[in-house]
Amino acid sequence: MIPTTETDAADEYATLGAKLRRLFVLSRPRFWLYLAGPVLVGAVYGAGELSDLASPVLVALFAYFLVPANVFLYGINDVYDADIDAANPKKDADAPEARFGGEPFVVYAVVVCALVAVLLIALVPDPAQLWIAGFVILGSQYSAPPLRFKTTPLLDSISNGLYVLPGIAAYAALAGAQPPVLAIAGGWLWAMGMHTFSAIPDIEPDRRAGIETTATRLGETATFAYCAVCWTLAAAAFGAIDSLLGAALAIYPLLAVGVPLLGIDVDRAYWWFPAINTVVGAELTMGGLWVLTGGLAV
């Protein structure tokens, strides 16, 4: 529709603004660095020299995984979880996450963001293409039929390795080769632990909705133990590459043990992780920069 008067134009801009605000909330801005952060970490370890960090390919990867990828990932989740979210207190009106209200523009935005990923695959070097394609496939099939991994115990956890795929893609794009297998395994295990920990507050809502997940199958106590194992193995994998990397990841198994042991409300602890992940990601990034600039040999 083309505005024909100043009033129509104002209404059009107001509507556009409301839609953008809705997409902003849907994209979970506090979680943006969950996808964009690994791009930075992968880049500093894949770069051959400091100037590589200003490459157009890296800028494109970071820009995509900062916002569009989050709209894609969480948009699909919200669309296919609309019925489940109706009973989830995390999606109440005064809660940090909003429910999908059936808005068509949300669906259109998700499709556009998926198409941008396809364009990105065509732009990045060959070693990175597989990982971006993997993100699109896992990101869609985690929530959408026919596979809908999130409703199958263990597969819901394993499929969330998708969160480290942006970092693997960034490393591969700059290095022209794949990262060490131990780094991929460590990152994947870290993401599995993160996903399953975040599912603990959803155990009761998911059970009421008839949804089976790793967390609903194990129960709260065993899920904490599962997360501790995933995160311990992740720290061990990174520690085998470099002891400092392993030390940075050691905070996670301590949290998986400490939260239930100290009787901390898991709903409260869940909201600590954006800050914790930002700090740990910054440590890993600074370590990579230190090596890249010749400050330390690993």
Side-chain angles (χ1 to χ4, degrees):
M1 175 180 176
I2 300 176
T4 56
T5 67
E6 291 185 7
T7 300
D8 289 340
D11 290 343
E12 192 75 9
Y13 283 123
T15 300
L16 177 60
K19 290 178 178 178
L20 291 176
R21 285 192 297 273
R22 182 71 183 87
L23 292 175
F24 178 81
V25 173
L26 175 148
S27 71
R28 320 287 205 274
R30 68 191 174 284
F31 294 152
W32 281 358
L33 288 181
Y34 279 18
L35 292 177
V39 171
L40 299 179
V41 176
V44 296
Y45 290 98
E49 53 188 39
L50 202 58
S51 61
D52 289 345
L53 300 181
S55 71
V57 167
L58 180 59
V59 171
L61 284 169
F62 182 78
Y64 178 72
F65 284 108
L66 182 64
V67 181
N70 283 289
V71 173
F72 166 74
L73 185 63
Y74 294 117
I76 292 176
N77 180 78
D78 287 357
V79 168
Y80 285 99
D81 275 11
D83 293 342
I84 301 171
D85 288 343
N88 191 336
K90 281 166 50 177
K91 301 296 182 77
D92 287 342
D94 58 349
E97 297 181 10
R99 293 185 176 96
F100 173 63
E103 305 94 335
F105 74 88
V106 170
V107 178
Y108 301 150
V110 169
V111 172
V112 169
C113 291
L115 293 176
V116 173
V118 173
L119 176 62
L120 192 60
I121 291 172
L123 295 177
V124 300
D126 291 349
Q129 292 176 346
L130 175 66
W131 304 110
I132 299 174
F135 172 81
V136 174
I137 294 169
L138 289 178
S140 62
Q141 290 305 293
Y142 173 73
S143 299
L147 299 179
R148 195 159 160 75
F149 293 124
K150 71 180 301 175
T151 62
T152 305
L154 192 57
L155 286 182
D156 61 333
S157 178
I158 294 173
S159 64
N160 263 257
L162 67 91
Y163 278 93
V164 299
L165 296 183
I168 301 172
Y171 181 103
L174 295 188
Q178 304 302 340
V181 173
L182 279 174
I184 296 175
W188 207 286
L189 286 161
W190 168 83
M192 287 170 59
M194 276 301 311
H195 163 266
T196 310
F197 190 97
S198 72
I200 296 175
D202 293 334
I203 288 177
E204 291 309 317
D206 283 345
R207 283 175 173 169
R208 288 194 296 269
I211 300 299
E212 270 204 285
T213 67
T214 300
T216 63
R217 177 72 62 85
L218 293 177
E220 184 171 309
T221 300
T223 301
F224 276 118
Y226 173 89
C227 294
V229 170
C230 286
W231 283 333
T232 299
L233 292 174
F238 279 108
I241 299 172
D242 182 81
S243 59
L244 294 178
L245 297 178
L249 271 291
I251 183 64
Y252 292 100
L254 292 177
L255 286 167
V257 173
V259 168
L261 192 63
L262 297 175
I264 299 170
D265 185 355
V266 68
D267 291 310
R268 176 186 174 197
Y270 168 77
W271 297 107
W272 298 347
F273 278 88
I276 293 169
N277 291 337
T278 299
V279 171
V280 173
E283 290 175 352
L284 297 178
T285 303
M286 293 302 294
L289 286 172
W290 185 256
V291 174
L292 187 60
T293 56
L296 179 65
V298 175

